Amino acid sequence: MANVVVVGAQWGDEGKGKIVDWLSERADIIARFQGGHNAGHTLVIDGKVFKLSLLPSGILRTGKLAVIGNGVVLDPWALLDEIEKVSKQGVEISTTNFVIAENTPLILPIHQDLDKIREKAAGKSKIGTTGRGIGPAYEDKIGRRSIRLADLSDPETLKNRIERLLSHHNALRIGLGVDKIDGEALKKTLLEIAPLILKYAGPVWKILNEKRKLGKRILFEGAQGALLDVDYGTYPYVTSSNTLSGMAATGTGLGPRAIDFVLGIVKAYTTRVGEGPFACELFDEIGEHLATVGREKGTVTGRSRRCGWFDAVLVKQTCVTSGVSGIALTKMDVLDGLKQLKICVGYELDGKKIDYLPIPSDQQARVKPIYEVMDGWMETTAGARSWAELPGAAIKYVRRIEELIECPVAMLSTSPEREDTILVTDPFVN
C-alpha cells in the first residue's frame, strides 16, 4: 500500500484541492503538513462548491480521517469558523474523523496585527502577504516562543508561554508605535476557546504510525506551491514554510520512509498571486483569456491571479526539488480555442541562455523566456475522462510537457468537477 504526497509544483493555486479530494477516495487518512489558513482549496462536488483553507480536503469524504500536522500554523478561530461553514453544507466533523497534532503552533491576533503593520510599512518593498499572521507565527515557532495547541490544556503553562511571547512582541509593538498586548486578556481569550479546539488534539505522529502498520493508505496534502518555498522559491516573495514534499515527513512526524509517491500538481499554464518575478506573465488578450476562462481569483484573498504561458523550466526544477514521481496536469480546458500555444523552454539572462531559475532576486527579475510554439486546438477538452476524448493537438501538448520537464503525467484534470479526471498512473499502486 503506497502513501502519497501531493504538492503544488508552481506558485500555488494549481488545483490541489480537487486532486486531493479525488485521491482521498482511495486513501484512509488525509494529512495537511504545512502552511496555514492562507491556503485556499475550492472543490466542486455534484455542482456544490466547498471552499477550504485549513481543513484537509479529504474531510468531505465519509469514513476518512482528516489530520492537521505539526507543520501547520493554526488559527483556532479561523478553524472553528470553517468547521461551522462546512457543517452547514452537510459535512460531518467530529473527533472520530478529525485530529490536530498537539504540538501545532497557534496563530494569534497579535500575529495578524504584526503581519499587516509590517506590510503597510514596507511600501513598495511589500512581498504580498495575505495578512493572516502566517509569517509571524512561524517566526515565533523558530524563536521558541510559540503557544502550541497542547499549552491550552494547562493554565499555568499557558501563562508562562504568554509571558515569554509578549516579552518579544510588546517590545516590538512599542517600537512600531502600537499599543502593548494585555497578557491576562489574551490568556482569558485562549482559555475560552480551549475546550472547543482541544477536543481534536492528539499525538498525530503516533496515530499515523499505527495506521500505517495496519496497512492504511495516507495522503499527505501540501499547501501553496514549490515556487513559494521559503528556501527554493522566489525569495523573498515566498511563504514562510517549506512547501516541498520533504516537509510531509517533518510536518507530520511520520518520517521520509513513509513516502512512496510524490504527485506534483501543475496547471497547463502558469499563474501567481501577489508580488514577485514572473518571466512568462502575459499582459495581452491571451493573458486576459486565461484569467477569465480560468476564473483566476484567489480562494482565500479574492485577489486576481497573474497569468502566463506554461514554464517548463520552472516545473522541471520543482520536480527535482520535490522529488516528483508524476504530475497531475490541471485546467487543460482553459486552453481550448487558442490557435497557438507557447511553452517556455529556457531563459535568456544578460545575453546568455540558461536552463534554470537563478537564486539572486535581481537575476530572477531579468530573465527573459525562450518560447517554443505549438499548435492549439479548437475542440473542447472540458469534461474529458479518457485520452480518446482529447483532441490530437492537446495530446501532443501534454506529451511535449512530459519531455521538457522530464516527468510523466500521472493524471489529467479537465474541469473543476471531481469525476472529470483522466487517470494514467494510480499513485497508490506503487
Side-chain angles (χ1 to χ4, degrees):
M1 293 292 184
N3 298 319
V4 178
V5 178
V6 173
V7 292
Q10 293 164 310
W11 275 294
D13 307 307
E14 302 97 345
K16 292 183 294 298
K18 173 197 167 171
I19 299 299
V20 170
D21 172 66
W22 195 89
L23 287 171
S24 64
E25 184 178 21
R26 294 161 170 76
D28 301 294
I29 303 107
I30 299 89
R32 269 284 303 274
F33 59 84
Q34 53 76 220
H37 64 307
N38 56 341
H41 294 158
T42 299
L43 298 95
V44 181
I45 302 171
D46 297 327
K48 198 171 184 179
V49 179
F50 296 87
K51 295 190 176 183
L52 306 177
S53 293
L54 273 168
L55 291 169
S57 298
I59 197 73
L60 303 179
R61 296 275 187 181
T62 58
K64 312 293 180 180
L65 177 63
V67 172
I68 289 180
N70 58 277
V72 173
V73 282
L74 179 73
D75 182 325
W77 297 276
L79 176 63
L80 292 175
D81 284 345
E82 190 172 324
I83 288 174
E84 182 180 2
K85 287 177 183 176
V86 298
S87 295
K88 288 180 179 178
Q89 290 184 279
V91 179
E92 182 182 346
I93 300 174
S94 69
T95 55
T96 60
N97 70 342
F98 180 49
V99 62
I100 309 169
E102 52 199 357
N103 53 337
T104 300
L106 302 182
I107 299 176
L108 307 176
I110 55 176
H111 295 128
Q112 296 167 350
D113 288 347
L114 183 58
D115 212 352
K116 293 171 184 175
I117 291 166
R118 282 177 173 170
E119 191 76 344
K120 183 177 180 181
K124 292 181 179 180
S125 299
K126 66 180 181 177
I127 59 174
T129 174
T130 60
R132 282 166 166 73
I134 310 298
Y138 274 117
E139 288 177 44
D140 283 343
K141 175 181 179 177
I142 299 303
R144 293 167 291 180
R145 52 181 175 263
S146 279
I147 293 174
R148 304 196 294 181
L149 181 56
D151 297 331
L152 301 185
S153 63
D154 180 63
E156 189 61 29
T157 298
L158 182 59
K159 177 185 176 183
N160 294 335
R161 295 284 189 270
I162 290 174
E163 287 177 357
R164 177 171 172 77
L165 180 72
L166 295 188
S167 67
H168 171 80
H169 276 272
N170 278 339
L172 193 58
R173 291 173 72 90
I174 290 170
L176 291 168
V178 295
D179 294 339
K180 294 196 297 183
I181 296 294
D182 183 336
E184 283 300 318
L186 177 57
K187 179 183 175 183
K188 180 182 178 183
T189 300
L190 287 170
L191 288 176
E192 287 174 352
I193 202 170
L196 301 176
I197 203 82
L198 276 173
K199 64 182 180 179
Y200 298 113
V204 159
W205 67 271
K206 186 174 185 294
I207 293 168
L208 292 183
N209 184 53
E210 290 170 351
K211 297 288 187 183
R212 184 180 175 226
K213 285 181 178 180
L214 293 171
K216 302 297 183 181
R217 290 176 169 180
I218 304 170
L219 183 63
F220 299 92
E221 179 181 6
Q224 288 87 41
L227 293 169
L228 294 175
D229 183 87
V230 71
D231 287 310
Y232 288 96
T234 48
Y235 191 91
Y237 304 101
V238 293
T239 192
S240 300
S241 62
N242 286 111
T243 59
L244 304 182
S245 63
M247 187 62 190
T250 53
T252 61
L254 197 52
R257 289 179 61 192
I259 299 171
D260 301 298
F261 192 100
V262 178
L263 183 68
I265 315 301
V266 180
K267 272 180 183 168
Y269 50 100
T270 311
T271 64
R272 84 170 295 175
V273 171
E275 310 298 321
F278 186 176
C280 295
E281 185 171 8
L282 295 172
F283 301 95
D284 57 11
E285 67 277 5
I286 300 296
E288 184 64 28
H289 169 92
L290 298 176
T292 303
V293 178
R295 300 178 182 178
E296 296 297 350
K297 292 247 183 216
T299 300
V300 171
T301 64
R303 292 183 293 183
S304 296
R305 298 181 186 126
R306 300 154 63 190
C307 299
W309 293 117
F310 186 86
D311 191 331
V313 179
L314 288 181
V315 176
K316 180 181 178 181
Q317 190 165 325
T318 58
C319 284
V320 172
T321 55
S322 260
V324 173
S325 311
I327 68 166
L329 195 62
T330 67
K331 292 204 167 185
M332 278 288 292
D333 54 303
V334 177
L335 301 180
D336 292 352
L338 296 178
K339 294 181 179 180
Q340 191 180 75
L341 304 174
K342 293 182 180 180
I343 300 176
C344 176
V345 296
Y347 296 135
E348 183 183 308
L349 176 63
D350 301 333
K352 295 181 180 179
K353 183 177 179 179
I354 59 174
D355 60 357
Y356 69 99
L357 185 68
I359 288 295
S361 297
D362 63 309
Q363 293 183 22
Q364 290 181 352
R366 293 203 310 275
V367 296
K368 297 179 181 178
I370 298 171
Y371 287 121
E372 180 178 296
V373 180
M374 296 188 68
D375 291 333
W377 53 89
M378 303 310 292
E379 307 97 315
T380 183
T381 62
R385 299 183 182 182
S386 70
W387 284 107
E389 297 177 63
L390 293 176
I395 294 174
K396 287 181 180 178
Y397 183 74
V398 173
R399 294 308 185 200
R400 184 56 180 149
I401 285 175
E402 288 181 312
E403 293 173 356
L404 291 169
I405 67 173
E406 298 179 3
C407 190
V409 170
M411 299 175 66
L412 199 65
S413 171
T414 57
S415 93
E417 284 288 348
R418 177 188 277 171
E419 300 305 326
D420 290 341
T421 306
I422 300 171
L423 180 65
V424 181
T425 301
D426 190 340
F428 284 114
V429 179
N430 188 32

